[in-house]
Amino acid sequence: MPPRATTPDLPHTQADAGLKGAPDRPPAGTVTQADIDREIAGLHAAHPESGVHPLRDFPPYRSSRLRHPRRALVAVRDPDAAELTGPVFGVTDVTPLDADLTRRHLHEPLGERITVQGRVTDRDGRPVRRQLVEIWQANAAGRYRHQGDDHSAPLDPGFTGAGRCLTDDEGRYAFTTIRPGAYPWRNHVNAWRPAHIHFSLFGTAFTQRLVTQMYFPGDPLLAHDPVLHAVTDERARQRLVAAYEHDLSVPEWSLGYRWDIVLDGPAATWTEEGR
Amino acid sequence: MTPTPAQTIGPFYGYALPFTGGGDIAGGGIVVHGHVYDGAGVPVSDALLEFWQADAAGGLGGAPGSMRRDPVTGAVAGRDPASFTGFGRVATDADGHWTLRTVVPGNGYISVCLFARGLLHHLYTRIYLGRDSFLDSLPPERSRTLTPVAEGRDIYRFDIHLQGEKETAFLDFG
């Protein structure tokens, strides 16, 4: 029996299926991975062309059930909408060290050192220049530095798991970090999230806001993850998986991944002038 | 080009996204606060709200510096009061509650982008402190969800309901 998690029972808002599990707290119910896989297959068959984004109502991801609107979104087609502009960030909002998650503490983190880099563009292919990119992730053992994470994997005193940078004039970003571990959660019995890095991105317009997750190629858990599979289109899911590029690996130092990001949503035409 | 799909923000963004003073866009104006509720009426304790708004004169240019850093320690140094960034970011507390301090935007509404564990793709809504043709085009039971309740001098309450009878009107910009 693994050691008991020190976290007491979480409040009801956190004790539902969305949080990670300590092994001594079995998930409620008896839903198996095979049950979830069947639910996913059924929804994929029912929604073959549901667009690039995940369905907000995706019952295999149990936490989505009470957290999606049932009414249709209201269309706003106003050329003066404030959302066609958006927040700007600059060199005062980041420090150069923020892009290297391995150099934030007295000790270096344990794990496989990696670099993740890519280009952020809008859906017309224009680079998103000098905008904020933020990331967060679990440590190499699959544990987040967060009091709500009671997975019985060790914290790493050398790793917080948060980073940020500004894109350059070509829309490029780059981070140095360690490969995060997979971890269990309580969506169903024996549920595991594939290794992933959370990304947060801004465009020139608030409508282009994106929060998403980057996955790693070849991860066997990708086939079973209801969060990833809420994106019902196979090609769209593939766009969430980074590419390993050997030329981006640094000899005797780090493994290189590339992940390009395309922001959805309209922007005001004046932003073409150079923001 | 085909966009990159969204994914849920999950529950563990705490060390990365919220920042000290994130809900203090500007002083001397109004306080807007409220809860986020799920479809069972339970407060959502791990939502993240972002706000984008015009300045008091209606200007939408914003400014850098919302999360200005101390270059020595890397810690958040706070906004420059002389600069109106127009951007705010607040995580709900254990009670599902959030608070924003700002000024009334010249165009009459504050734009809101909502993220939460369990929400696979973020949602937009608006806090209307004035009126416009879009608000007026909505049926009353929907426009009501975009209109905060005045609780006192310069204090407004704006609850967000993700689902259910009181469901907030969420917006699509195409």
Side-chain angles (χ1 to χ4, degrees), chain A residues 81-142:
Chain A
E83 293 85 357
L84 296 177
T85 64
V88 291
F89 299 91
V91 292
T92 61
D93 291 302
V94 299
T95 67
L97 204 55
D98 290 345
D100 188 341
L101 286 71
T102 70
R103 294 182 58 210
R104 311 296 298 280
H105 298 278
L106 290 177
H107 303 283
E108 282 195 274
L110 292 172
E112 190 178 295
R113 188 183 295 107
I114 63 171
T115 58
V116 179
Q117 58 199 286
R119 200 157 167 264
V120 186
T121 53
D122 67 15
R123 57 191 188 188
D124 294 325
R126 295 175 295 194
V128 175
R129 299 186 171 101
R130 300 180 292 281
Q131 248 314 5
L132 183 66
V133 181
E134 297 162 288
I135 65 169
W136 67 102
Q137 63 170 90
N139 68 24

Side-chain angles (χ1 to χ4, degrees), chain A residues 102 108 111-115 176-179 252-256:
Chain A
T102 70
E108 282 195 274
E112 190 178 295
R113 188 183 295 107
I114 63 171
T115 58
T176 299
T177 182
I178 50 94
R179 183 182 171 120
E252 319 285 319
W253 186 249
S254 61
L255 293 169

Side-chain angles (χ1 to χ4, degrees), chain A residues 45-259:
Chain A
H47 301 276
E49 305 271 339
S50 66
V52 299
H53 292 295
L55 298 173
R56 290 190 179 91
D57 179 11
F58 197 72
Y61 175 32
R62 295 297 191 242
S63 296
S64 76
R65 289 180 296 187
L66 292 170
R67 294 186 170 200
H68 69 272
R70 294 233 166 89
R71 302 185 65 153
L73 304 188
V74 185
V76 180
R77 298 292 182 270
D78 172 8
D80 296 323
E83 293 85 357
L84 296 177
T85 64
V88 291
F89 299 91
V91 292
T92 61
D93 291 302
V94 299
T95 67
L97 204 55
D98 290 345
D100 188 341
L101 286 71
T102 70
R103 294 182 58 210
R104 311 296 298 280
H105 298 278
L106 290 177
H107 303 283
E108 282 195 274
L110 292 172
E112 190 178 295
R113 188 183 295 107
I114 63 171
T115 58
V116 179
Q117 58 199 286
R119 200 157 167 264
V120 186
T121 53
D122 67 15
R123 57 191 188 188
D124 294 325
R126 295 175 295 194
V128 175
R129 299 186 171 101
R130 300 180 292 281
Q131 248 314 5
L132 183 66
V133 181
E134 297 162 288
I135 65 169
W136 67 102
Q137 63 170 90
N139 68 24
R143 176 127 179 231
Y144 286 91
R145 187 171 291 275
H146 187 296
Q147 292 193 85
D149 185 353
D150 57 4
H151 175 31
S152 68
L155 285 170
D156 183 342
F159 196 68
T160 300
R164 65 189 72 78
C165 71
L166 295 177
T167 56
D168 69 12
D169 283 346
E170 303 299 320
R172 291 176 299 211
Y173 73 89
F175 291 102
T176 299
T177 182
I178 50 94
R179 183 182 171 120
Y183 57 76
W185 58 316
R186 296 195 190 96
N187 192 66
H188 52 280
V189 176
N190 207 11
W192 291 80
R193 294 285 341 268
H196 60 275
I197 298 177
H198 296 266
F199 272 71
S200 161
L201 300 119
F202 291 83
T204 54
F206 206 41
T207 59
Q208 295 173 314
R209 193 78 180 82
L210 178 67
V211 165
T212 187
Q213 302 179 27
M214 184 206 94
Y215 299 92
F216 289 84
D219 188 335
L221 293 169
L222 294 176
H224 301 294
D225 182 39
V227 174
L228 173 62
H229 283 268
V231 179
T232 62
D233 180 81
E234 161 67 18
R235 285 165 305 176
R237 284 197 300 279
Q238 283 305 319
R239 287 196 292 276
L240 291 175
V241 182
Y244 170 70
E245 284 195 19
H246 197 67
D247 287 347
L248 297 179
S249 293
V250 179
E252 319 285 319
W253 186 249
S254 61
L255 293 169
Y257 291 87
R258 181 182 300 283
W259 192 49

Side-chain angles (χ1 to χ4, degrees), chain A residues 4-66:
Chain A
R4 275 193 71 82
T6 53
T7 310
D9 279 348
L10 294 163
H12 62 285
T13 50
Q14 293 180 27
D16 71 5
L19 274 190
K20 297 164 61 174
D24 58 337
R25 291 183 56 198
T30 55
V31 178
T32 66
Q33 183 66 56
D35 295 330
I36 292 292
D37 290 347
R38 267 192 299 276
E39 286 183 38
I40 290 172
L43 284 159
H44 285 189
H47 301 276
E49 305 271 339
S50 66
V52 299
H53 292 295
L55 298 173
R56 290 190 179 91
D57 179 11
F58 197 72
Y61 175 32
R62 295 297 191 242
S63 296
S64 76
R65 289 180 296 187
L66 292 170

